Amino acid sequence: MQRFPHQTLVPTLILLCAIALGWGAIARAADSPQESPDEGESIDSRITGFRHNRTVYISSPRGFRRNIDNWDQEAEAIRRRILVATGLHPIPEKTPLNVRRYPVVEKDDYTIEAVAFESVPGFYVTGNLYMPRGKHGPFPAMLCPHGHWGEGRLADVENGSVPGRCINFARQGYVVFAPSMIGYNDSTQLEHHFDHPLWGQSLMGMQTWNNIRAIDFLLTLDAVDPERIGCTGASGGGTQTFILAAIDDRVKVAVPVCMVSAH
């Protein structure tokens, strides 16, 4: 019979004891679910207690309850956290867009043209602009960021068509801009990688800034009603949608699709 060496047996026993004690504590905590801290309490229960499947969290460790009266304060706190996390706090200076628009493709009830503009000096956001034809503005505008599909903003597959969505909006009377994510289609100045910083900026931060500047671009168009700006996208485009709407008040309607994630 093979014996465990002494050097292995002792650490193994210690580990097993620790696991047993840990599970025992979790089971005891599960039998008596943690209550939310009282109003004004300064200790966060997430620091002092075990987390388990009966743990209940609220928006704030100090007993915050969401309602219409203090939502503005909570929204500002969320906005600040997003801006800090994406490297956009304080908000960078907005430099000239230097918009370039290319020949128009004309259809019966809409047009499509390629657009490029500088979100920061020397870095171009590229995309397609869809405009209603035969209608009178000003029109509502819709930003349509795409998800992680191989064809990017040109993806036209069974479970989703970015051009189809944009054409549909344009036919209904929307001005639509579909930008490429960084590293997709003709946005080739940077690769689409999240594992390295860009001189103090993250790819997520740069992409978010591109979307902020995309709203700036839409507002340069005489055909756009500045009080009716929306944003919608699926998958990674859904992420971009709710991040943008949380930090940019110009977005009046946001429809993130197929994206609920902690990452």
Side-chain angles (χ1 to χ4, degrees):
M1 177 178 173
Q2 184 178 5
R3 296 178 180 274
F4 287 104
H6 179 73
Q7 294 88 341
T8 302
L9 181 58
V10 173
T12 301
L13 291 174
I14 293 174
L15 177 61
L16 290 173
C17 290
I19 292 173
L21 290 172
W23 279 110
I26 292 175
R28 289 192 299 274
D31 290 336
S32 54
Q34 299 168 9
E35 297 181 355
S36 302
D38 295 330
E39 185 73 28
E41 185 177 347
S42 60
I43 299 176
D44 189 338
S45 64
R46 291 171 292 181
I47 298 174
T48 61
F50 286 97
R51 305 178 190 186
H52 51 78
N53 66 341
R54 295 190 193 178
T55 303
V56 177
Y57 297 128
I58 55 176
S59 179
S60 166
R62 297 191 177 185
F64 178 82
R65 295 293 188 273
R66 276 201 179 107
N67 58 58
I68 195 64
D69 295 328
N70 51 21
W71 169 244
D72 287 343
Q73 179 181 356
E74 177 75 353
E76 181 56 35
I78 293 171
R79 182 180 297 112
R80 175 69 64 88
R81 289 196 293 270
I82 292 173
L83 291 173
V84 170
T86 54
L88 296 175
H89 181 73
I91 291 289
E93 176 188 1
K94 290 186 175 182
T95 52
L97 291 171
N98 298 324
V99 178
R100 300 182 184 184
R101 297 172 67 173
Y102 297 93
V104 177
V105 176
E106 295 186 352
K107 301 294 183 179
D108 290 340
D109 49 1
Y110 66 92
T111 63
I112 310 173
E113 60 185 301
V115 172
F117 60 82
E118 294 181 64
S119 59
V120 296
F123 187 86
Y124 283 90
V125 175
T126 58
N128 290 112
L129 180 67
Y130 299 75
M131 300 276 287
R133 192 177 183 194
K135 294 180 172 63
H136 300 286
F139 303 105
M142 189 69 71
L143 181 66
C144 284
H146 66 81
H148 291 88
W149 297 297
E151 298 301 320
R153 75 174 192 267
L154 305 178
D156 183 21
V157 294
E158 183 177 355
N159 64 354
S161 171
V162 178
R165 182 201 318 157
C166 296
I167 290 169
N168 192 356
F169 275 129
R171 284 174 167 169
Q172 293 181 59
Y174 289 78
V175 173
V176 187
F177 183 59
S180 281
M181 279 199 295
I182 294 171
Y184 280 80
N185 303 120
D186 42 10
S187 180
T188 58
Q189 289 178 269
L190 291 173
E191 295 182 352
H192 195 83
H193 291 305
F194 288 88
D195 56 354
H196 55 78
L198 304 173
W199 292 97
Q201 179 61 276
S202 67
L203 189 69
M204 182 66 183
M206 190 67 181
Q207 186 63 63
T208 302
W209 183 246
N210 287 352
N211 288 332
I212 291 174
R213 299 313 313 270
I215 299 296
D216 292 341
F217 161 65
L218 285 170
L219 292 177
T220 67
L221 305 176
D222 292 337
V224 169
D225 181 349
E227 297 303 317
R228 293 188 291 167
I229 304 291
C231 184
T232 186
S235 189
T239 303
Q240 295 176 69
T241 297
F242 63 68
I243 292 295
L244 177 66
I247 63 176
D248 195 325
D249 289 335
R250 297 175 298 177
V251 178
K252 305 302 183 183
V253 176
V255 186
V257 179
C258 303
M259 185 58 198
V260 179
S261 175
H263 303 282

